[in-house]
Amino acid sequence: MLYRKIERTIEQHLKSGSNKILLVDGARQIGKTYIIRHVGNKLFENYIEINMIEDSLGNRLFEKVRTVEDFYLQVSMLAGDKMKKSTLIFIDEIQAYPHLLTLLKFLSQDNRFTYIASGSLLGVTLSQTTSIPMGSIQKIQMYPLDFEEFLFANGMNEFVISTLRNKFNHLEELDESIHNKMMDLFKRGACRML
């Protein structure tokens, strides 16, 4: 399991009982789908994932959806037996159908299921959407791995990271071999960003 700090924020929102739909914005390929899928399967008996880019390239089931009933009809066609109480519906890559951003307000008011959505470049999509349901969504930004997350992904544990953080906070130097290892990891991480 890839550790991401945003997992805690997503879990807290989904457990809070808030009727706002969490909207996770971030660049492509940084792990939005991965972490939402992980949290969704952990917290909910039923988990439904709909990728709107795949839909727009395929069946286009959601292209003309404008009402809650139409939305449920299309979801039922994909995952009808999973549409029970304690279901999380994850709308991935929602920017493929900007009209669904407006529909989020009505889905949150309907309150039959729990929802979460994600997308890339949502700032652009939101600025071009005529009716933005800001009172119905809570938007958070997700970023690529930070250095601590990168260290976890490379086999470091909490003890190592908390020790490094403590030394940094107290302006203490590292043993040369540890310093060299951290610099090597830092360079590897920086090269992946380019």
Side-chain angles (χ1 to χ4, degrees), residues 59-186:
N59 295 331
R60 305 180 80 81
L61 295 175
F62 294 88
E63 182 177 33
K64 304 272 188 223
V65 167
R66 297 294 188 268
T67 67
V68 171
E69 290 75 25
D70 290 343
F71 181 81
Y72 289 151
L73 175 61
Q74 301 304 355
V75 174
S76 291
M77 290 177 66
L78 296 172
D81 62 335
K82 291 185 179 181
M83 294 181 73
K84 302 171 187 166
K85 290 199 184 244
S86 187
T87 295
L88 176 67
I89 298 177
F90 171 31
I91 306 167
D92 196 11
E93 301 294 358
I94 195 169
Q95 78 280 353
Y97 292 126
H99 64 278
L100 293 181
L101 288 164
T102 303
L103 188 63
L104 292 178
K105 173 183 180 179
F106 302 105
L107 291 171
S108 75
Q109 289 172 347
D110 180 68
N111 206 25
R112 282 189 231 179
F113 305 104
T114 304
Y115 298 91
I116 189 167
S118 75
S120 307
L121 301 171
L122 284 173
V124 174
T125 305
L126 286 169
S127 70
Q128 296 172 353
T129 303
T130 55
S131 178
I132 303 168
M134 295 312 288
S136 301
I137 61 173
Q138 178 182 340
K139 184 174 167 262
I140 60 172
Q141 190 70 36
M142 184 172 172
Y143 300 96
L145 293 174
D146 66 18
F147 188 57
E148 285 184 7
E149 291 170 325
F150 182 75
L151 290 176
F152 277 116
N154 281 276
M156 299 296 149
N157 62 24
E158 182 59 41
F159 177 76
V160 171
I161 292 170
S162 64
T163 301
L164 292 171
R165 189 181 309 116
N166 189 42
K167 287 191 174 285
F168 178 81
N169 289 336
H170 291 96
L171 303 175
E172 297 174 13
E173 64 182 53
L174 295 173
D175 172 271
E176 186 176 354
S177 62
I178 295 173
H179 173 79
N180 291 339
K181 173 73 174 170
M182 291 301 113
M183 288 305 296
D184 178 54
L185 287 167
F186 182 77

Side-chain angles (χ1 to χ4, degrees), residues 49-63:
E49 180 177 323
I50 307 159
N51 185 307
M52 293 303 167
I53 288 183
E54 288 177 8
D55 183 76
S56 70
L57 297 173
N59 295 331
R60 305 180 80 81
L61 295 175
F62 294 88
E63 182 177 33

